[in-house]
PDB file of all heavy atoms in Angstrom:
ATOM      1  N   LEU B  14       0.114 -33.800 -35.439  1.00 94.00           N
ATOM      2  CA  LEU B  14      -0.635 -32.564 -35.183  1.00 94.00           C
ATOM      3  C   LEU B  14       0.307 -31.386 -34.973  1.00 94.00           C
ATOM      4  O   LEU B  14       0.089 -30.289 -35.486  1.00 94.00           O
ATOM      5  CB  LEU B  14      -1.524 -32.747 -33.942  1.00 94.00           C
ATOM      6  CG  LEU B  14      -2.742 -33.647 -34.121  1.00 94.00           C
ATOM      7  CD1 LEU B  14      -3.414 -33.912 -32.780  1.00 94.00           C
ATOM      8  CD2 LEU B  14      -3.733 -33.008 -35.097  1.00 94.00           C
ATOM      9  N   GLN B  40      24.554 -17.295 -31.255  1.00 98.00           N
ATOM     10  CA  GLN B  40      23.782 -18.537 -31.156  1.00 98.00           C
ATOM     11  C   GLN B  40      24.681 -19.769 -31.277  1.00 98.00           C
ATOM     12  O   GLN B  40      24.472 -20.777 -30.603  1.00 98.00           O
ATOM     13  CB  GLN B  40      22.701 -18.589 -32.240  1.00 98.00           C
ATOM     14  CG  GLN B  40      21.552 -17.614 -31.983  1.00 98.00           C
ATOM     15  CD  GLN B  40      20.520 -17.621 -33.095  1.00 98.00           C
ATOM     16  OE1 GLN B  40      20.122 -18.682 -33.573  1.00 98.00           O
ATOM     17  NE2 GLN B  40      20.089 -16.445 -33.515  1.00 98.00           N
ATOM     18  N   PRO B  54      28.472 -35.624 -17.465  1.00 97.00           N
ATOM     19  CA  PRO B  54      27.687 -36.690 -16.805  1.00 97.00           C
ATOM     20  C   PRO B  54      26.955 -36.204 -15.555  1.00 97.00           C
ATOM     21  O   PRO B  54      25.906 -36.758 -15.211  1.00 97.00           O
ATOM     22  CB  PRO B  54      28.743 -37.742 -16.450  1.00 97.00           C
ATOM     23  CG  PRO B  54      30.052 -37.024 -16.476  1.00 97.00           C
ATOM     24  CD  PRO B  54      29.904 -35.905 -17.477  1.00 97.00           C
ATOM     25  N   ASN B  88      37.954 -23.026 -20.095  1.00 96.00           N
ATOM     26  CA  ASN B  88      38.443 -21.652 -20.055  1.00 96.00           C
ATOM     27  C   ASN B  88      37.337 -20.629 -20.307  1.00 96.00           C
ATOM     28  O   ASN B  88      37.492 -19.692 -21.091  1.00 96.00           O
ATOM     29  CB  ASN B  88      39.569 -21.494 -21.100  1.00 96.00           C
ATOM     30  CG  ASN B  88      40.432 -20.294 -20.767  1.00 96.00           C
ATOM     31  OD1 ASN B  88      40.488 -19.855 -19.617  1.00 96.00           O
ATOM     32  ND2 ASN B  88      41.092 -19.741 -21.783  1.00 96.00           N
ATOM     33  N   ALA B 129      42.408  -6.093  -2.812  1.00 98.00           N
ATOM     34  CA  ALA B 129      43.630  -6.773  -3.252  1.00 98.00           C
ATOM     35  C   ALA B 129      43.864  -8.044  -2.433  1.00 98.00           C
ATOM     36  O   ALA B 129      44.343  -9.062  -2.941  1.00 98.00           O
ATOM     37  CB  ALA B 129      44.822  -5.838  -3.132  1.00 98.00           C
ATOM     38  N   THR B 161      24.277  -6.795  16.018  1.00 97.00           N
ATOM     39  CA  THR B 161      25.101  -5.662  16.448  1.00 97.00           C
ATOM     40  C   THR B 161      26.584  -5.915  16.216  1.00 97.00           C
ATOM     41  O   THR B 161      27.061  -7.045  16.264  1.00 97.00           O
ATOM     42  CB  THR B 161      24.914  -5.366  17.958  1.00 97.00           C
ATOM     43  OG1 THR B 161      25.218  -6.574  18.680  1.00 97.00           O
ATOM     44  CG2 THR B 161      23.502  -4.927  18.260  1.00 97.00           C
ATOM     45  N   ASP B 165      35.619  -2.523  19.669  1.00 98.00           N
ATOM     46  CA  ASP B 165      36.449  -2.557  20.880  1.00 98.00           C
ATOM     47  C   ASP B 165      37.773  -1.893  20.538  1.00 98.00           C
ATOM     48  O   ASP B 165      38.619  -2.469  19.853  1.00 98.00           O
ATOM     49  CB  ASP B 165      36.659  -4.020  21.300  1.00 98.00           C
ATOM     50  CG  ASP B 165      37.529  -4.139  22.548  1.00 98.00           C
ATOM     51  OD1 ASP B 165      38.091  -3.109  22.994  1.00 98.00           O
ATOM     52  OD2 ASP B 165      37.641  -5.269  23.074  1.00 98.00           O
ATOM     53  N   THR B 168      41.299  -3.737  21.402  1.00 98.00           N
ATOM     54  CA  THR B 168      41.831  -4.814  20.549  1.00 98.00           C
ATOM     55  C   THR B 168      41.684  -4.487  19.072  1.00 98.00           C
ATOM     56  O   THR B 168      42.139  -5.248  18.222  1.00 98.00           O
ATOM     57  CB  THR B 168      41.067  -6.126  20.821  1.00 98.00           C
ATOM     58  OG1 THR B 168      39.688  -5.905  20.492  1.00 98.00           O
ATOM     59  CG2 THR B 168      41.171  -6.545  22.272  1.00 98.00           C
ATOM     60  N   THR B 179      14.853 -12.646  17.250  1.00 93.00           N
ATOM     61  CA  THR B 179      14.517 -12.294  15.872  1.00 93.00           C
ATOM     62  C   THR B 179      15.706 -11.776  15.076  1.00 93.00           C
ATOM     63  O   THR B 179      15.576 -11.481  13.898  1.00 93.00           O
ATOM     64  CB  THR B 179      13.420 -11.207  15.867  1.00 93.00           C
ATOM     65  OG1 THR B 179      13.788 -10.206  16.824  1.00 93.00           O
ATOM     66  CG2 THR B 179      12.075 -11.792  16.219  1.00 93.00           C
ATOM     67  N   ALA B 192      28.928 -22.038   2.821  1.00 97.00           N
ATOM     68  CA  ALA B 192      29.868 -20.917   2.909  1.00 97.00           C
ATOM     69  C   ALA B 192      30.758 -21.018   4.144  1.00 97.00           C
ATOM     70  O   ALA B 192      30.324 -21.483   5.197  1.00 97.00           O
ATOM     71  CB  ALA B 192      29.092 -19.602   2.942  1.00 97.00           C
ATOM     72  N   PHE B 240      13.702 -23.932  -4.796  1.00 96.00           N
ATOM     73  CA  PHE B 240      15.088 -23.720  -4.352  1.00 96.00           C
ATOM     74  C   PHE B 240      15.529 -24.773  -3.338  1.00 96.00           C
ATOM     75  O   PHE B 240      16.295 -24.493  -2.419  1.00 96.00           O
ATOM     76  CB  PHE B 240      15.264 -22.310  -3.759  1.00 96.00           C
ATOM     77  CG  PHE B 240      15.475 -21.276  -4.821  1.00 96.00           C
ATOM     78  CD1 PHE B 240      14.420 -20.849  -5.598  1.00 96.00           C
ATOM     79  CD2 PHE B 240      16.727 -20.739  -5.078  1.00 96.00           C
ATOM     80  CE1 PHE B 240      14.604 -19.910  -6.612  1.00 96.00           C
ATOM     81  CE2 PHE B 240      16.911 -19.800  -6.095  1.00 96.00           C
ATOM     82  CZ  PHE B 240      15.848 -19.380  -6.855  1.00 96.00           C
ATOM     83  N   SER B 242      17.491 -27.081  -3.764  1.00 97.00           N
ATOM     84  CA  SER B 242      18.891 -27.444  -3.939  1.00 97.00           C
ATOM     85  C   SER B 242      19.826 -26.497  -3.194  1.00 97.00           C
ATOM     86  O   SER B 242      21.029 -26.712  -3.160  1.00 97.00           O
ATOM     87  CB  SER B 242      19.242 -27.433  -5.427  1.00 97.00           C
ATOM     88  OG  SER B 242      18.897 -26.186  -6.004  1.00 97.00           O
ATOM     89  N   CYS B 248      22.120 -18.134  10.989  1.00 98.00           N
ATOM     90  CA  CYS B 248      23.400 -17.878  11.660  1.00 98.00           C
ATOM     91  C   CYS B 248      23.148 -17.006  12.880  1.00 98.00           C
ATOM     92  O   CYS B 248      22.567 -15.924  12.757  1.00 98.00           O
ATOM     93  CB  CYS B 248      24.351 -17.180  10.684  1.00 98.00           C
ATOM     94  SG  CYS B 248      25.869 -16.577  11.448  1.00 98.00           S
ATOM     95  N   VAL B 253      31.342 -12.876  18.714  1.00 98.00           N
ATOM     96  CA  VAL B 253      32.335 -13.234  17.700  1.00 98.00           C
ATOM     97  C   VAL B 253      33.175 -11.997  17.387  1.00 98.00           C
ATOM     98  O   VAL B 253      32.635 -10.925  17.123  1.00 98.00           O
ATOM     99  CB  VAL B 253      31.631 -13.739  16.422  1.00 98.00           C
ATOM    100  CG1 VAL B 253      32.629 -13.929  15.289  1.00 98.00           C
ATOM    101  CG2 VAL B 253      30.899 -15.043  16.710  1.00 98.00           C
ATOM    102  N   TYR B 377      18.599  11.957 -11.837  1.00 80.00           N
ATOM    103  CA  TYR B 377      17.146  12.032 -11.816  1.00 80.00           C
ATOM    104  C   TYR B 377      16.542  10.962 -12.725  1.00 80.00           C
ATOM    105  O   TYR B 377      15.589  10.268 -12.362  1.00 80.00           O
ATOM    106  CB  TYR B 377      16.695  13.425 -12.257  1.00 80.00           C
ATOM    107  CG  TYR B 377      15.222  13.631 -12.106  1.00 80.00           C
ATOM    108  CD1 TYR B 377      14.645  13.670 -10.824  1.00 80.00           C
ATOM    109  CD2 TYR B 377      14.395  13.748 -13.202  1.00 80.00           C
ATOM    110  CE1 TYR B 377      13.290  13.837 -10.666  1.00 80.00           C
ATOM    111  CE2 TYR B 377      13.027  13.904 -13.057  1.00 80.00           C
ATOM    112  CZ  TYR B 377      12.481  13.951 -11.789  1.00 80.00           C
ATOM    113  OH  TYR B 377      11.124  14.092 -11.643  1.00 80.00           O
ATOM    114  N   LEU B 378      17.168  10.799 -13.881  1.00 82.00           N
ATOM    115  CA  LEU B 378      16.691   9.751 -14.791  1.00 82.00           C
ATOM    116  C   LEU B 378      16.930   8.365 -14.181  1.00 82.00           C
ATOM    117  O   LEU B 378      16.104   7.465 -14.298  1.00 82.00           O
ATOM    118  CB  LEU B 378      17.399   9.883 -16.147  1.00 82.00           C
ATOM    119  CG  LEU B 378      16.892   8.944 -17.250  1.00 82.00           C
ATOM    120  CD1 LEU B 378      15.397   9.065 -17.462  1.00 82.00           C
ATOM    121  CD2 LEU B 378      17.614   9.221 -18.572  1.00 82.00           C
ATOM    122  N   ARG B 452       3.666  15.963  -7.703  1.00 90.00           N
ATOM    123  CA  ARG B 452       3.581  17.179  -6.891  1.00 90.00           C
ATOM    124  C   ARG B 452       4.686  18.169  -7.239  1.00 90.00           C
ATOM    125  O   ARG B 452       4.501  19.363  -7.155  1.00 90.00           O
ATOM    126  CB  ARG B 452       3.643  16.820  -5.401  1.00 90.00           C
ATOM    127  CG  ARG B 452       2.371  16.106  -4.946  1.00 90.00           C
ATOM    128  CD  ARG B 452       2.541  15.410  -3.607  1.00 90.00           C
ATOM    129  NE  ARG B 452       1.481  14.427  -3.386  1.00 90.00           N
ATOM    130  CZ  ARG B 452       1.544  13.448  -2.494  1.00 90.00           C
ATOM    131  NH1 ARG B 452       2.622  13.315  -1.727  1.00 90.00           N
ATOM    132  NH2 ARG B 452       0.551  12.605  -2.365  1.00 90.00           N
ATOM    133  N   SER B 475      -9.590  13.185 -20.861  1.00 97.00           N
ATOM    134  CA  SER B 475      -9.900  12.717 -22.209  1.00 97.00           C
ATOM    135  C   SER B 475     -10.671  11.405 -22.145  1.00 97.00           C
ATOM    136  O   SER B 475     -10.734  10.750 -21.105  1.00 97.00           O
ATOM    137  CB  SER B 475      -8.601  12.527 -23.001  1.00 97.00           C
ATOM    138  OG  SER B 475      -7.797  11.546 -22.372  1.00 97.00           O
ATOM    139  N   ILE B 490      -3.764   4.271 -29.797  1.00 98.00           N
ATOM    140  CA  ILE B 490      -4.957   4.284 -28.949  1.00 98.00           C
ATOM    141  C   ILE B 490      -4.746   3.404 -27.710  1.00 98.00           C
ATOM    142  O   ILE B 490      -5.117   3.780 -26.589  1.00 98.00           O
ATOM    143  CB  ILE B 490      -6.196   3.828 -29.766  1.00 98.00           C
ATOM    144  CG1 ILE B 490      -6.595   4.970 -30.714  1.00 98.00           C
ATOM    145  CG2 ILE B 490      -7.348   3.417 -28.860  1.00 98.00           C
ATOM    146  CD1 ILE B 490      -7.855   4.726 -31.509  1.00 98.00           C
ATOM    147  N   ARG B 559      -4.969  -7.007 -21.391  1.00 98.00           N
ATOM    148  CA  ARG B 559      -4.680  -6.285 -20.143  1.00 98.00           C
ATOM    149  C   ARG B 559      -5.825  -5.330 -19.804  1.00 98.00           C
ATOM    150  O   ARG B 559      -6.152  -5.136 -18.639  1.00 98.00           O
ATOM    151  CB  ARG B 559      -3.364  -5.497 -20.247  1.00 98.00           C
ATOM    152  CG  ARG B 559      -2.093  -6.328 -20.254  1.00 98.00           C
ATOM    153  CD  ARG B 559      -1.914  -7.193 -19.037  1.00 98.00           C
ATOM    154  NE  ARG B 559      -1.784  -6.451 -17.791  1.00 98.00           N
ATOM    155  CZ  ARG B 559      -1.915  -7.002 -16.584  1.00 98.00           C
ATOM    156  NH1 ARG B 559      -2.167  -8.289 -16.463  1.00 98.00           N
ATOM    157  NH2 ARG B 559      -1.764  -6.273 -15.498  1.00 98.00           N
ATOM    158  N   GLU B 579     -17.382  -3.303 -24.256  1.00 97.00           N
ATOM    159  CA  GLU B 579     -17.782  -4.550 -24.927  1.00 97.00           C
ATOM    160  C   GLU B 579     -16.887  -4.859 -26.116  1.00 97.00           C
ATOM    161  O   GLU B 579     -16.567  -6.016 -26.379  1.00 97.00           O
ATOM    162  CB  GLU B 579     -19.238  -4.447 -25.394  1.00 97.00           C
ATOM    163  CG  GLU B 579     -20.238  -4.504 -24.255  1.00 97.00           C
ATOM    164  CD  GLU B 579     -21.653  -4.705 -24.787  1.00 97.00           C
ATOM    165  OE1 GLU B 579     -21.873  -5.675 -25.527  1.00 97.00           O
ATOM    166  OE2 GLU B 579     -22.524  -3.869 -24.455  1.00 97.00           O
ATOM    167  N   VAL B 592      -4.111 -14.885 -34.116  1.00 98.00           N
ATOM    168  CA  VAL B 592      -2.835 -15.398 -33.597  1.00 98.00           C
ATOM    169  C   VAL B 592      -2.739 -16.924 -33.756  1.00 98.00           C
ATOM    170  O   VAL B 592      -1.638 -17.465 -33.880  1.00 98.00           O
ATOM    171  CB  VAL B 592      -2.663 -14.990 -32.107  1.00 98.00           C
ATOM    172  CG1 VAL B 592      -1.480 -15.681 -31.461  1.00 98.00           C
ATOM    173  CG2 VAL B 592      -2.507 -13.471 -31.993  1.00 98.00           C
ATOM    174  N   ILE B 597       2.206 -21.925 -32.362  1.00 98.00           N
ATOM    175  CA  ILE B 597       3.322 -22.833 -32.122  1.00 98.00           C
ATOM    176  C   ILE B 597       4.651 -22.193 -32.539  1.00 98.00           C
ATOM    177  O   ILE B 597       5.660 -22.312 -31.840  1.00 98.00           O
ATOM    178  CB  ILE B 597       3.084 -24.164 -32.867  1.00 98.00           C
ATOM    179  CG1 ILE B 597       2.007 -24.972 -32.153  1.00 98.00           C
ATOM    180  CG2 ILE B 597       4.370 -24.989 -32.964  1.00 98.00           C
ATOM    181  CD1 ILE B 597       2.364 -25.435 -30.743  1.00 98.00           C
ATOM    182  N   ASP B 601       7.972 -21.753 -30.458  1.00 98.00           N
ATOM    183  CA  ASP B 601       9.221 -22.307 -30.997  1.00 98.00           C
ATOM    184  C   ASP B 601      10.281 -21.199 -31.062  1.00 98.00           C
ATOM    185  O   ASP B 601      11.469 -21.451 -30.858  1.00 98.00           O
ATOM    186  CB  ASP B 601       9.001 -22.865 -32.413  1.00 98.00           C
ATOM    187  CG  ASP B 601       8.289 -24.221 -32.425  1.00 98.00           C
ATOM    188  OD1 ASP B 601       8.127 -24.818 -31.332  1.00 98.00           O
ATOM    189  OD2 ASP B 601       7.900 -24.672 -33.519  1.00 98.00           O
ATOM    190  N   ASP B 607      14.720 -29.181 -25.871  1.00 98.00           N
ATOM    191  CA  ASP B 607      13.975 -30.121 -25.037  1.00 98.00           C
ATOM    192  C   ASP B 607      14.672 -30.342 -23.697  1.00 98.00           C
ATOM    193  O   ASP B 607      14.020 -30.519 -22.663  1.00 98.00           O
ATOM    194  CB  ASP B 607      13.825 -31.474 -25.753  1.00 98.00           C
ATOM    195  CG  ASP B 607      12.733 -31.429 -26.822  1.00 98.00           C
ATOM    196  OD1 ASP B 607      11.934 -30.476 -26.826  1.00 98.00           O
ATOM    197  OD2 ASP B 607      12.691 -32.353 -27.652  1.00 98.00           O
TER     198      ASP B 607
END
Side-chain angles (χ1 to χ4, degrees):
Chain B
L14 288 172
Q40 288 177 44
N88 201 23
T161 56
D165 179 352
T168 61
T179 46
F240 278 75
S242 54
C248 171
V253 172
Y377 187 67
L378 186 54
R452 290 164 197 162
S475 62
I490 286 184
R559 289 301 297 165
E579 288 192 55
V592 171
I597 286 296
D601 283 350
D607 282 346

